[in-house]
Amino acid sequence: MAKRDYYEVLGISKTADKEEIKKAYRRLALKYHPDRNPGNKEAEEKFKEATEAYDVLCDDQKRPLYDQYGFAGLDGMGQGGAQYSHAFHDFSDDIFSGGFGDIFSRLFGGGMGGYSRRQPDDGRGRDIAQELVISFKDALYGTKTDIRVQHMETCSSCHGSGCAPGASRKTCPSCHGTGRISQPISFISMEQTCPTCGGMGMVVERPCAACRGTGMEAKYKRISLTIPAGVDDGYRITIPRQGNSGKNGAPAGDLIVVVRVEPHEYFEREGANLYCAVPISMTQAALGGTIVITLLDDSKIDLKIPAGTPHGKLLRIRGAGVVVRGTSRKGDLYVKVLVQVPERINSKQKQLLEEFMAIENPTTDPKPVPLSSLR
């Protein structure tokens, strides 16, 4: 299948800046991520396509070449499978302030994939970072859910030794059992973790066939989570000791759940405040009245429309917004009223409007007003 233009894939213009590119990619990534579409090959392909487009358009070297020469300009620059490394490195750095060394270990595997921080020298298990997508409503009111986590546990075949039956470990020939090596740089010597044994000081003579000498095997587990009311996009939940198992009795790492909130069709959020827009008739705007607003939990609340309300006016309903986490206080709901002018009217309505216009006697030579007054 022929490749689509990268700008078309992300739904952006060719003048889009990096922030627009990132926003467009995030929207598509949330929609087509394999975790949310298990077994859906079409969604998986769209996810790959969006990630490839993001990788090119956010790269200061690749984008100019693509803009000038198209796909031919990217030949030899590694476009194919490795592009996900760049995209997800940026994605993870955007989630966490400290960069993560590894990308998703199972990008398109079953369940919910995760990626891990670098293994500490003390043998402690790696932390696992995993995204959880929730609805806008669940973010406002809170929810309980289960997540499926892939993690590494001590190999059941070799019990963590990494050795095949009858084999054993021997002292690492590179570091002579210290787990550290010295790397000469100019006139000084820098000490670093031994790359041969990974700092363990020992190497496996004949590795275990099940875990290939790592002493660890991949398993899945389900963890129950309580999402508090009022969480925002990017909220993190750290669950101690639920990451990858440690080596040689060292403690397990942590599980870090990053909450991603889906956008809503009608409501938007800014901090603890909610925003929506509703249509009203021109007579309601002129004469005033009361309308009913249905909230996300299906409760209803009355909103008074003052007489003479102009199009685009923001009306506030106190305490109808989002709960401020850790308190009982709520933000406000701001309702933007959109005054609707009827496209068709019957003869009776026309007669009444003509009578009103005769009384109003509007000017036929209106003076311009500053554009700033319309904002």
Side-chain angles (χ1 to χ4, degrees), residues 19 38 47 85 96 107 125 147 158-159 162-163 173 189 195 206 212 227 236 267 283 310 324 355 367:
E19 193 59 36
F47 181 71
S85 173
F96 303 101
L107 187 58
I147 60 173
C158 65
H159 306 291
C163 302
S189 181
R206 286 190 296 115
R212 298 181 181 180
I227 309 299
R236 289 193 290 175
F267 287 86
T283 51
V324 179
E355 292 176 4
K367 303 300 181 187

Side-chain angles (χ1 to χ4, degrees), residues 272 322-331:
V322 185
V323 65
V324 179
R325 283 189 296 109
T327 73
S328 58
R329 185 173 64 85
K330 285 187 175 183

Side-chain angles (χ1 to χ4, degrees), residues 37-345:
N37 302 274
N40 188 332
K41 292 296 182 183
E42 182 181 356
E44 181 176 316
E45 289 304 316
K46 286 183 180 293
F47 181 71
K48 291 180 182 179
E49 185 181 49
T51 303
E52 181 178 328
Y54 171 81
D55 177 66
V56 171
L57 299 184
C58 266
D59 190 294
D60 293 334
Q61 292 181 332
K62 295 178 183 177
R63 185 177 181 180
L65 290 173
Y66 176 72
D67 287 344
Q68 187 170 0
Y69 302 109
F71 296 111
L74 302 175
D75 288 347
M77 295 198 72
Q79 290 308 112
Q83 71 267 26
Y84 302 114
S85 173
H86 169 76
F88 272 94
H89 177 73
D90 286 350
F91 195 56
S92 65
D93 280 353
D94 185 39
I95 298 171
F96 303 101
S97 56
F100 276 66
D102 301 326
I103 61 169
F104 278 51
S105 58
R106 287 173 59 87
L107 187 58
F108 300 115
M112 309 242 335
Y115 53 94
S116 310
R117 293 179 180 173
R118 296 189 185 277
Q119 178 68 41
D121 291 342
D122 61 3
R124 179 181 179 273
R126 293 183 179 184
D127 293 343
I128 299 175
Q130 183 159 309
E131 287 193 334
L132 171 65
V133 180
I134 64 174
S135 69
F136 191 88
K137 179 180 177 180
D138 285 342
L140 263 59
Y141 301 112
T143 187
K144 292 184 178 181
T145 187
D146 290 343
I147 60 173
R148 186 170 182 254
V149 180
Q150 182 193 27
H151 66 295
M152 303 301 292
E153 286 190 1
T154 301
C155 176
S156 57
S157 296
C158 65
H159 306 291
S161 70
C163 302
S168 61
R169 293 175 176 265
K170 66 178 182 179
T171 301
C172 174
S174 299
C175 66
H176 306 291
T178 64
R180 310 286 292 180
I181 61 171
S182 295
Q183 181 71 33
I185 301 177
S186 187
F187 298 105
I188 62 174
S189 181
M190 299 291 291
E191 190 178 77
Q192 64 183 37
T193 301
C194 175
T196 303
C197 65
M200 302 303 293
M202 306 289 288
V203 293
V204 177
E205 289 182 303
R206 286 190 296 115
C208 168
C211 65
R212 298 181 181 180
T214 64
M216 310 291 284
E217 63 180 339
K219 290 189 176 181
Y220 288 92
K221 60 184 173 184
R222 300 197 75 84
I223 294 179
S224 297
L225 288 178
T226 298
I227 309 299
V231 300
D232 209 341
D233 188 75
Y235 178 76
R236 289 193 290 175
I237 302 172
T238 299
I239 307 174
R241 305 292 184 260
Q242 291 297 323
N244 290 336
S245 296
K247 293 184 177 181
N248 299 325
D254 299 335
L255 171 63
I256 302 168
V257 179
V258 184
V259 177
R260 290 297 169 199
V261 180
E262 292 181 312
H264 194 272
E265 185 177 4
Y266 303 116
F267 287 86
E268 292 184 3
R269 176 181 175 182
E270 187 175 301
N273 295 326
L274 285 177
Y275 294 82
C276 70
V278 296
I280 63 173
S281 70
M282 62 181 188
T283 51
Q284 285 175 308
L287 301 176
T290 299
I291 61 174
V292 177
I293 305 295
T294 302
L295 303 180
L296 285 167
D297 62 354
D298 295 327
S299 63
K300 300 181 183 299
I301 191 167
D302 291 340
L303 174 63
K304 184 178 180 181
I305 306 295
T309 296
H311 176 81
K313 177 73 174 178
L314 273 180
L315 301 177
R316 180 169 64 173
I317 303 177
R318 296 182 182 273
V322 185
V323 65
V324 179
R325 283 189 296 109
T327 73
S328 58
R329 185 173 64 85
K330 285 187 175 183
D332 301 327
L333 170 63
Y334 289 87
V335 181
K336 186 175 185 178
V337 293
L338 307 177
V339 180
Q340 304 291 294
V341 177
E343 296 182 2
R344 297 179 180 178
I345 55 176

Side-chain angles (χ1 to χ4, degrees), residues 286 351-362:
Q351 177 187 345
L352 293 173
L353 287 174
E354 287 174 343
E355 292 176 4
F356 176 80
M357 187 166 66
I359 298 172
E360 183 185 29
N361 191 26

